Amino acid sequence: MKSVFKIVVVLMVFASVVSCKKNSRRNYQYMPNMYESIGYEAYQESDAFSGGVEAQLPAEGSIPRGDHMPFEIENSNDGYLFAKANLLSPLDSTQVDANRGGELYDIYCGICHGSKGAGQGKLVKMEKILGVPSYGDVGRAITEGSIYHTIYYGKNAMGGYLNQLDEEERWQVVNYVLTLKAELDKK
């Protein structure tokens, strides 16, 4: 009997709560600005900012979110030659991580250039692409700057990896490519 009484009480409480809801009237909104934000037009007049308009100039020297730091060397043959002669790695010996550079190289470069840098990656062996040079080719005078410029912009059939690698990762790959070149030059 007590259990029936409890069930009846629970049903009555449930029925009273459900019956109080009216779809014809609005529910309470505790933070209405979260539900219905005030829309501002970019160039409408406003006293919120100096100048009297909503649109403001970005802070001097700011870079849009998601964009990369500007690279001062242009994407041209003259820019490549300038980078080859003048651009040096900002990483010191404590920041260079050969393992990380090797992992990044295997992910982005090894498919074409091969794991040893001899130009015999999987795509070359499958003859999907042809003419990938070895880092150890006679007369192949690559430098830190030329490698970085090539990774940044790409060269010939190779596309740039600006969007795939950030600046520090590109320099890690550069240092790894230089170690591969040194190993190939020993042979």
Side-chain angles (χ1 to χ4, degrees), residues 101-111 114-115 176:
E103 290 171 0
L104 292 168
Y105 177 87
D106 289 339
I107 292 169
Y108 296 104
C109 311
I111 191 77
S115 61
Y176 189 76

Side-chain angles (χ1 to χ4, degrees), residues 96-106 109 114-117 135 147 170-183:
V96 173
D97 185 359
N99 292 331
R100 185 156 178 255
E103 290 171 0
L104 292 168
Y105 177 87
D106 289 339
C109 311
S115 61
K116 303 290 182 193
Y135 299 135
I147 298 167
R170 288 190 291 269
W171 284 113
Q172 296 289 353
V173 172
V174 166
N175 286 309
Y176 189 76
V177 167
L178 289 174
T179 60
L180 291 178
K181 178 173 175 40
E183 291 173 10

Side-chain angles (χ1 to χ4, degrees), residues 36-156:
E36 300 168 15
S37 62
I38 300 169
Y40 291 106
E41 292 294 326
Y43 295 103
Q44 81 181 29
E45 292 183 13
S46 170
D47 57 355
F49 300 103
S50 62
V53 293
E54 291 291 328
Q56 299 294 304
L57 294 174
E60 186 176 326
S62 64
I63 297 171
R65 184 175 70 183
D67 285 0
H68 58 341
M69 292 298 292
F71 188 49
E72 302 297 326
I73 302 173
E74 64 183 23
N75 183 14
S76 66
N77 196 40
D78 291 335
Y80 174 80
L81 294 174
F82 178 80
K84 185 175 185 176
N86 300 316
L87 188 60
L88 297 174
S89 175
L91 303 179
D92 62 12
S93 61
T94 61
Q95 295 173 315
V96 173
D97 185 359
N99 292 331
R100 185 156 178 255
E103 290 171 0
L104 292 168
Y105 177 87
D106 289 339
I107 292 169
Y108 296 104
C109 311
I111 191 77
C112 297
H113 291 277
S115 61
K116 303 290 182 193
Q120 295 299 313
K122 281 187 177 185
L123 293 179
V124 174
K125 289 179 181 176
M126 293 173 23
E127 296 182 357
K128 298 291 183 186
I129 56 173
L130 302 172
V132 177
S134 170
Y135 299 135
D137 286 347
V138 177
R140 177 109 191 223
I142 57 176
T143 64
E144 289 176 322
S146 66
I147 298 167
Y148 187 86
H149 190 275
T150 302
I151 292 171
Y152 195 89
Y153 289 120
K155 190 163 181 74
N156 299 331

